[in-house]
Amino acid sequence: MLFLRCAKSIVPALLVVSLLPAQSSDTALAAARRALDLLLAEKYSDLTPLLTPAAKERLTVEFLHDKVGGEIRTFGQMHSVEEPVLAKDGDNTLISYPVHFATTRVYIQFTLEPSLLVSGLYIRPLNAPLPKVWQRPAYSKPEAFTQRDVTIGSDEWKLPGSLTIPIGKRPVPGVVLVHGPGPNDRDEEIYSNRIFRDLAEGLASRGIAVLRYNKRTLAYGDKMGYMSFTLEQETVEDAVRAIDVLRHQPEVAANRIFVLGHSLGGYAAPRIAARDGKLAGLIFFAANARPIEDVALDQNDYVAHLNGDPSPQSQQRLEALKAEVAKVKNLQAGTSPPQVVMGLPGVYMLDLKGYQPAEQAKQLKVPMLFLQGGRDFQITSKDLGVWKAALAGRPNVEFKEYPALNNLFIAGEGKPGPSDYLRQGNVDPAVIDDIATWIAH
């Protein structure tokens, strides 16, 4: 995904999250909604029979009235309840309802056991409608790999990482995972989803070593917030250092190192490959080829119009973003850029003036694999078309599209939107299989 960054802190600035219905059993939804209605109506005695024995000990009528109800009453009059967000935590079902009150909007979450009795009740903030629950995908075979900690670099920017190594035959090919924008951790954790962990465990189960690491903007976000940095410091330098770490692992074939770049990581991949000079290939994982200001504007425009005409506030944000994009377009080499533009250091955007990743990729001789989800509203067919046009006719370049997958390569249905990322899922098994097969060849 593509996010912008402010000067002193790093925040997701491109997505305005709205929630859409998730899939679950009708019975679980009905049970949770009944519990919610009783809670909001302050019918605590009627709510008690819906609780598990353990929950009854904690959520007594007095506690519900004084503590839970007391907090809810501070929110003012209840206006509306929207469609819930759902997830699974083992055998339990997590159902969280967005509730609008006069003074605020919160999520009220219920944890339901298989019996459909409520074992947990939580009032949650807007940015965390459900607890973070990652589900190991079926293609991950923990008995087939081991994992150990590694360190990327040895200077003031050293980063913690994880190396996932297949058990058995040696040496094995290796992949370095390069993040999208923003302060990503080694798993690229986005709510309950951990797509880099999915990739690491899935590929290691198929005989491929994978190195992933915390991004510099996560490990040193406060320090970098006051610095003028570029894509080099944010992404390229650490990716090159991670490649070197992986290349020197005894279990890994030094001449079989690949880079997989997600979103901004794919955008930077041609620079990474040119800097290293010895990669066996590149994998572009929903990688933008167009300037990031153009992609950002398209993303925001899509989200603003997702449910019809944008609100006045959304329209104002779009106009403000257009003004920022115009500033980027007017940047000139040899001049002093603004300190911050589009939430990024001015030098960051100036450094990318004239950068055409598809044209730079064209100069590389290594094999390349491009993967694109059909439900990706952030990096779209516009970008894939640029890559295809630049690399047309190259026998060692392959393109794969997945109609049902989003920017995280997780399957979904319906009109895609930001709420997709609030639903727990895993990288689709077809993607794992395609990457492993391509590397093997």
Side-chain angles (χ1 to χ4, degrees):
M1 295 194 298
L2 192 63
F3 293 103
L4 297 185
R5 181 174 302 101
C6 69
K8 294 187 178 181
S9 63
I10 300 171
V11 296
L14 298 190
L15 296 182
V16 180
V17 175
S18 61
L19 296 177
L20 303 177
Q23 299 297 319
S24 185
S25 69
D26 291 340
T27 52
L29 281 171
R33 184 55 194 256
R34 185 180 176 211
L36 176 67
D37 290 342
L38 291 172
L39 177 68
L40 295 175
E42 300 190 39
K43 295 182 178 180
Y44 306 121
S45 296
D46 294 334
L47 176 57
T48 298
L50 306 184
L51 307 178
T52 63
K56 286 177 183 177
E57 294 182 7
R58 293 179 286 105
L59 301 174
T60 63
V61 170
E62 293 75 16
F63 183 88
L64 289 169
H65 178 275
D66 296 343
K67 298 297 185 180
V68 182
E71 182 176 0
I72 291 175
R73 286 189 288 275
T74 67
F75 301 153
Q77 183 180 0
M78 194 274 289
H79 290 324
S80 64
V81 178
E82 293 187 358
E83 296 288 347
V85 182
L86 296 89
K88 295 291 290 183
D89 183 6
D91 293 330
N92 293 337
T93 302
L94 312 181
I95 303 178
S96 193
Y97 286 92
V99 185
H100 288 253
F101 295 92
T103 63
T104 191
R105 177 177 180 234
V106 298
Y107 286 89
I108 298 180
Q109 181 228 312
F110 298 91
T111 300
L112 273 65
E113 294 192 347
S115 64
L116 299 183
L117 292 177
V118 174
S119 62
L121 166 61
Y122 309 90
I123 298 175
R124 308 188 66 88
L126 285 181
N127 63 351
L130 288 172
K132 296 175 179 178
V133 179
W134 175 77
Q135 300 287 332
R136 171 169 275 117
Y139 50 72
S140 172
K141 309 297 182 185
E143 70 279 4
F145 59 82
T146 61
Q147 183 170 289
R148 63 176 180 260
D149 292 336
V150 295
T151 300
I152 311 303
S154 58
D155 58 10
E156 60 177 324
W157 303 111
K158 64 182 180 183
L159 299 170
S162 297
L163 177 62
T164 311
I165 296 285
I167 295 172
K169 184 180 177 181
R170 300 283 190 267
V172 297
V175 178
V176 171
L177 305 183
V178 182
H179 326 71
N184 287 293
D185 67 10
R186 72 192 72 188
D187 292 337
E188 262 211 338
E189 175 185 309
I190 300 172
Y191 186 51
S192 294
N193 303 302
R194 312 279 192 275
I195 64 170
F196 274 13
R197 185 170 179 180
D198 291 346
L199 288 166
E201 295 195 6
L203 293 175
S205 299
R206 297 285 299 270
I208 299 165
V210 180
L211 176 59
R212 64 197 199 275
Y213 53 94
N214 289 351
K215 197 173 176 184
R216 188 182 296 196
T217 46
L218 175 70
Y220 304 100
D222 290 342
K223 183 176 180 179
M224 293 188 71
Y226 293 92
M227 293 175 54
S228 292
F229 61 90
T230 68
L231 184 65
E232 173 73 16
Q233 290 79 44
E234 182 194 17
T235 297
V236 175
E237 182 176 300
D238 294 325
V240 171
R241 299 201 296 185
I243 293 166
D244 185 65
V245 170
L246 185 58
R247 187 173 281 132
H248 285 88
Q249 300 304 311
E251 304 95 337
V252 177
N255 63 341
R256 295 285 292 158
I257 304 297
F258 299 80
V259 159
L260 182 151
H262 180 217
S263 186
L264 182 75
Y267 178 74
R271 283 191 174 186
I272 295 167
R275 278 280 308 276
D276 178 77
K278 296 179 287 186
L279 287 175
L282 294 173
I283 302 165
F284 295 80
F285 209 58
N288 59 300
R290 296 177 299 141
I292 61 175
E293 66 270 17
D294 295 342
V295 177
L297 186 57
D298 280 357
Q299 289 178 14
N300 279 268
D301 185 73
Y302 176 88
V303 172
H305 290 86
L306 189 58
N307 297 310
D309 292 334
S311 66
Q313 295 84 354
S314 294
Q315 191 61 50
Q316 288 177 356
R317 287 193 292 268
L318 275 177
E319 294 304 319
L321 179 57
K322 289 178 182 178
E324 290 289 286
V325 170
K327 290 180 183 178
V328 174
K329 297 299 185 187
N330 289 329
L331 292 175
Q332 298 292 330
T335 62
S336 297
Q339 184 176 357
V340 178
V341 60
M342 288 186 67
L344 287 161
V347 294
Y348 187 106
M349 302 304 292
L350 184 60
D351 172 67
L352 296 176
K353 290 287 287 187
Y355 174 51
Q356 296 179 302
E359 290 302 314
Q360 187 159 338
K362 194 175 179 180
Q363 306 307 312
L364 302 172
K365 306 302 182 184
V366 299
M368 296 177 229
L369 174 64
F370 290 83
L371 308 178
Q372 178 69 43
R375 295 185 71 255
D376 190 344
F377 67 92
Q378 296 189 267
I379 308 299
T380 68
S381 58
K382 288 183 181 179
D383 291 278
L384 190 63
V386 175
W387 294 113
K388 284 183 174 181
L391 298 165
R394 284 276 295 270
N396 63 344
V397 176
E398 189 172 346
F399 297 88
K400 287 188 175 291
E401 300 178 60
Y402 308 87
L405 306 188
N406 63 16
N407 184 268
L408 307 183
F409 291 86
I410 296 172
E413 297 177 350
K415 191 172 185 179
S419 61
D420 282 4
Y421 307 125
L422 298 180
R423 302 179 191 148
Q424 193 279 325
N426 297 104
V427 173
D428 195 86
V431 174
I432 301 295
D433 185 65
D434 287 341
I435 294 173
T437 300
W438 182 79
I439 288 175
H441 292 161

